[in-house]
Amino acid sequence: MLSVLSLVTRRLLTLIPLVLGITIFVFVIMQFSPIDPALSVLGDQATAAQVAAFKAANGLDDPLPLRYLHFLGDLLRGDLGMTFPPSVPVADKIATALPLTIQLTALGIVGALIIALALGITAALYRDRWPDQVIRFVSMAGIAMPSFWLALLLIQEFSVRRPVFPTGGYVNPGDSFSLWLQSLAMPALALAVPVGCSLARIVRTSMVEELDKDYVRTAIGAGLPPRVVIGRNVLRNALVNPLTVLGLRIGYLLGGTVVIEAIFSLPGMGTQIMSAVQQNDTALAQGTVLTIAICFVFVNLVVDILYLFANPRLRGAH
């Protein structure tokens, strides 16, 4: 238990320079934006004196390191700045949009895991036979299929031809759980299919490697039912590698929400990024990108901790 706590503490400490590096990267990149915040707020008809006064009042003329320190200080207080007129705190917009993106990403992860386990385990148990060949073809097709294209196909099939799901919009789960699930079912599936199909190939490979090990033949030869051996030992050991890859795939899911939310008219973080780009709102763009990046880092921390629990040998090595 103490070894696990020390490893978790170490992982947490490594987050400090990592998150700091993310804030520096995002801040510096935004400084190269051709958008002038003063003109975005005051309008193109603003005079040079008005622009100069705005920059002086908001510290835009300060040296870059000093501006970053001000930005970091505001960030530690939870202040991400104000959107361009109408002025609204960026933190308020993110607080409204982030829960939806988390819900969509979580449903995408669940869907991807179901697809990966169903296809990967079946392919491993029937390796080199026709189910394995069919699943290999399906997996490759799913990996090659862009999420936005699949989203359009789903809308065409299940919203236009067969009106089973709404074409877009969002319903709060507190208002109606069934309508909430309907509003996110197709977006989550569009995100889950490419990720689930790629994970299925990894699950299949890991399962095959475990099934070929001596302990499996020994256990089955000793009279244990194959179902018990596979469920208790093979599956648990085989899921260690896919669990590691899942942390990286979550970044794909978070990035994919930008387009998927736009297609399904979902007011999440992706929609906020699109709105920031269209309105030349640098503060909103900076805040949303930074939030998504930090969320990705913390999700990978959770995956790392789960990996420690799933792999006792790694704990023993430390």
Side-chain angles (χ1 to χ4, degrees):
M1 185 64 181
L2 289 176
S3 62
V4 173
L5 288 175
S6 64
L7 286 172
V8 171
T9 303
R10 254 186 253 171
R11 293 287 194 275
L12 289 171
L13 290 176
T14 60
L15 285 186
I16 297 175
L18 183 57
V19 172
L20 189 62
I22 290 173
T23 62
I24 294 173
F25 178 78
V26 172
F27 177 80
V28 172
I29 287 296
M30 294 305 298
Q31 302 311 305
F32 289 99
S33 171
I35 301 170
D36 189 335
L39 293 178
S40 297
V41 174
L42 301 175
D44 295 334
Q45 305 302 318
T47 64
Q50 290 174 326
V51 170
F54 179 88
K55 290 184 176 181
N58 291 275
L60 298 178
D61 290 331
D62 294 337
L64 186 63
L66 183 58
R67 275 185 283 157
Y68 170 73
L69 291 177
H70 288 316
F71 165 74
L72 187 60
D74 292 338
L75 187 62
L76 293 175
R77 294 193 299 270
D79 183 4
L80 294 171
M82 303 290 290
T83 64
F84 292 153
S87 294
V88 178
V90 172
D92 289 352
K93 279 188 165 289
I94 291 176
T96 302
L98 185 59
L100 189 153
T101 299
I102 292 175
Q103 294 166 23
L104 178 57
T105 304
L107 286 177
I109 292 172
V110 172
L113 288 175
I114 293 173
I115 294 171
L117 293 176
L119 297 182
I121 294 174
T122 303
L125 295 178
Y126 293 92
R127 57 176 160 171
D128 299 329
R129 286 182 274 177
W130 71 264
D132 186 21
Q133 303 299 328
V134 172
I135 290 173
R136 180 180 289 113
F137 174 78
V138 172
S139 298
M140 296 305 296
I143 294 171
M145 188 180 300
S147 292
F148 69 87
W149 186 68
L150 177 58
L152 296 175
L153 290 181
L154 291 173
I155 292 174
Q156 181 68 25
E157 185 64 29
F158 296 107
S159 294
V160 178
R161 291 183 182 176
R162 299 178 181 87
V164 179
F165 297 101
T167 56
Y170 173 71
V171 177
N172 194 292
D175 298 332
S176 173
F177 180 80
S178 60
L179 292 179
W180 168 79
L181 194 58
Q182 287 182 7
S183 67
L184 293 184
M186 289 199 299
L189 183 60
L191 290 172
V193 167
V195 175
C197 289
S198 65
L199 284 176
R201 304 307 304 158
I202 301 172
V203 171
R204 189 257 185 203
T205 302
S206 297
M207 283 284 294
V208 168
E209 290 177 354
E210 286 295 320
L211 288 170
D212 287 339
K213 290 183 177 179
D214 291 337
Y215 79 88
V216 177
R217 290 189 290 268
T218 302
I220 294 176
L224 288 176
R227 182 180 300 176
V228 174
V229 177
I230 292 172
R232 289 184 180 177
N233 302 104
V234 175
L235 187 58
R236 184 182 63 185
N237 295 333
L239 291 182
V240 172
N241 289 335
L243 183 62
T244 306
V245 178
L246 177 63
L248 301 176
R249 294 296 187 269
I250 291 175
Y252 173 87
L253 289 172
L254 286 170
T257 58
V258 175
V259 177
I260 296 301
E261 287 177 1
I263 292 175
F264 288 95
S265 302
L266 299 173
M269 295 293 285
T271 303
Q272 295 297 335
I273 292 176
M274 297 292 289
S275 174
V277 172
Q278 292 170 355
Q279 299 175 12
N280 294 336
D281 194 333
T282 54
L284 182 58
Q286 182 173 260
T288 50
V289 170
L290 185 61
T291 301
I292 290 175
I294 292 177
C295 286
F296 175 64
V297 169
F298 277 96
V299 166
N300 274 273
L301 172 66
V302 173
V303 173
D304 284 345
I305 294 173
L306 292 176
Y307 184 72
L308 292 175
F309 283 99
N311 192 350
R313 290 172 296 180
L314 187 62
R315 297 199 300 267
H318 290 75

